[in-house]
Amino acid sequence: MTETHITPAHREAFSALTGGEFTNFALLSCFIDGQPSAAIVAVTRDAADYVLSPLFVAVTPDMVLTDHDGRRA
């Protein structure tokens, strides 16, 4: 079996983003470990407040993608 860090919640968020059924997403300027970046967030209403739930983040200059053996992707 192939190891993965992709969770059911990741799959649900990806499906919501690509399926077109929902429109409550926004692109948000943010910081990741102190580095400027951007995130795709779900925006929901909680009484008079808005709740921003990060779904995915943009790649930062110091981010390195690797496989499960540590090899660069």
Side-chain angles (χ1 to χ4, degrees):
M1 180 176 185
T2 302
E3 184 178 356
T4 181
H5 297 292
I6 299 171
T7 68
H10 295 143
R11 286 187 176 92
E12 290 171 10
F14 183 77
S15 179
L17 283 166
T18 59
E21 183 178 346
F22 301 97
T23 59
N24 61 319
F25 302 109
L27 186 60
L28 181 74
S29 177
C30 65
F31 291 89
I32 302 169
D33 293 331
Q35 296 288 322
S37 188
I40 297 172
V41 299
V43 181
T44 54
R45 192 101 193 219
D46 183 19
D49 294 325
Y50 287 95
V51 177
L52 303 176
S53 302
L55 302 175
F56 297 99
V57 296
V59 175
T60 62
D62 294 331
M63 189 181 290
V64 177
L65 299 178
T66 65
D67 65 14
H68 288 275
D69 294 323
R71 291 185 300 256
R72 288 180 179 248

